Amino acid sequence: MRLNLTLSPNTDPVPFDHLRRLTGTLHKWLGPDNDLHDGPSLYSIGWLKGGQGKNGALSFPDGARWRLSFWNDQAAKQVLDGILQDPSLFAGMRVTEAQQQTTPSFSGGYRFEPDAPIVARRRRDDGSREYLTYGDERADESLTCTLRAKIRAAEIDIDPETVRVRFDRGYDGARTKLATIEKSGHAIKHRGSECPVIVEGPPEAARFAWNVGAGELTGSGFGALR
C-alpha cells in the first residue's frame, strides 16, 4: 500500500540534508513498538516534491508531496493512525491530506521511475563498499540480489531466481546524486542513481518492487519507485 501525503508550506527553512528528519517522522508515526528496523526494509520512502532552493536551503511555498510505500498494509495503517494523532513533520510542515493507494496490477516486467536516488553497492575484498551507478552493468547484479533477498524475507510466493532488476541505460536523463544520512551520530554520504529501473519477472515481483523500492537503504530515503 502507498500513502500519498500532501503537506502544508514550510515556515522555517528545510535543510538540503533532511533525510534523517523524514525517517524520524515516519518512525514517530509508527510508534515505539514498530518492527520495521529489523531485517531488510520491506518499505520505501520517497523524497519531498515541490521544493525550490532559497538562501542555502529548501522552501516549499505551495506545500510538498511525499510518498510512503509498504508491503505490509498494517504498517501503512499504523502510519495513518500516527498522522491522525500528530500530523506534524518539521520546519512547520504538517500533513493536510493523506490518500491511500492500493498496489496496482502489473502484467509482468515493468519499468519504474525513481522517486529517490537508487543505491547499488558491492563489497570489495578489503570489506569496504563500492558504489555502482547506473552506467555500470555490475549495478544490475547488486539490485537483483537486494530485491531477491527482500522477497525471501517477505516469504511471498515468488521464486527469487525468476526476478531480475536492471537500470534502463537507454534513458538519456540519468544522473547520480549524493545525499547524506546520519547513523550513530555520523554523517554518511551515499551516491545513488536517478535512473529508471526495469523489474523482470512475474507480476507479483513488480507489485512487490513498487512498494519496497530498488537497491539498498530504501528505509532511509533511497530507492523509492513510482
Side-chain angles (χ1 to χ4, degrees):
M1 179 185 290
R2 177 165 294 178
L3 301 180
N4 296 301
L5 307 182
T6 301
L7 312 180
S8 65
N10 59 300
T11 57
D12 298 313
V14 176
F16 286 109
D17 293 333
H18 60 268
L19 293 184
R20 176 183 60 83
R21 299 191 185 191
L22 290 180
T23 56
T25 297
L26 170 62
H27 287 281
K28 175 188 74 172
W29 289 335
L30 283 165
D33 298 326
N34 80 84
D35 58 0
L36 291 191
H37 275 306
D38 300 329
S41 298
L42 302 182
Y43 63 103
S44 57
I45 303 172
W47 283 19
L48 296 180
K49 298 297 188 291
Q52 53 189 249
K54 183 179 180 181
N55 298 326
L58 286 170
S59 179
F60 297 84
D62 298 317
R65 300 176 305 282
W66 188 25
R67 297 184 185 94
L68 305 172
S69 303
F70 306 86
W71 179 245
N72 184 338
D73 287 352
Q74 184 57 40
K77 292 174 182 176
Q78 282 182 252
V79 171
L80 286 173
D81 289 342
I83 291 172
L84 287 173
Q85 295 178 30
D86 179 4
S88 65
L89 284 84
F90 52 88
M93 292 187 291
R94 301 171 64 84
V95 177
T96 59
E97 183 178 3
Q99 294 184 342
Q100 300 178 53
Q101 183 180 359
T102 57
T103 305
S105 297
F106 299 98
S107 59
Y110 198 80
R111 177 183 183 273
F112 294 100
E113 299 283 341
D115 199 36
I118 298 168
V119 173
R121 298 184 292 184
R122 63 178 289 274
R123 191 172 295 280
R124 299 186 180 98
D125 292 340
D126 63 3
S128 62
R129 305 294 294 275
E130 177 185 4
Y131 288 86
L132 306 173
T133 57
Y134 64 90
D136 190 331
E137 292 186 359
R138 296 176 301 167
D140 299 349
E141 180 180 358
S142 173
L143 297 178
T144 297
C145 288
T146 301
L147 189 62
R148 286 177 178 177
K150 291 188 178 186
I151 288 171
R152 295 186 184 99
E155 299 181 342
I156 55 180
D157 189 18
I158 301 175
D159 179 359
E161 298 305 313
T162 65
V163 179
R164 287 195 58 80
V165 187
R166 58 185 172 89
F167 280 117
D168 179 5
R169 295 186 180 83
Y171 175 67
D172 291 336
R175 62 176 184 170
T176 65
K177 191 157 191 170
L178 201 63
T180 302
I181 60 175
E182 290 187 17
K183 185 176 181 180
S184 302
H186 299 284
I188 303 173
K189 294 185 181 296
H190 296 285
R191 185 169 294 281
S193 297
E194 293 186 322
C195 178
V197 293
I198 297 169
V199 177
E200 300 172 339
E204 192 68 6
R207 288 169 54 84
F208 185 70
W210 186 80
N211 284 297
V212 306
E216 301 182 31
L217 303 172
T218 63
S220 297
F222 295 89
L225 304 176
R226 55 183 173 85

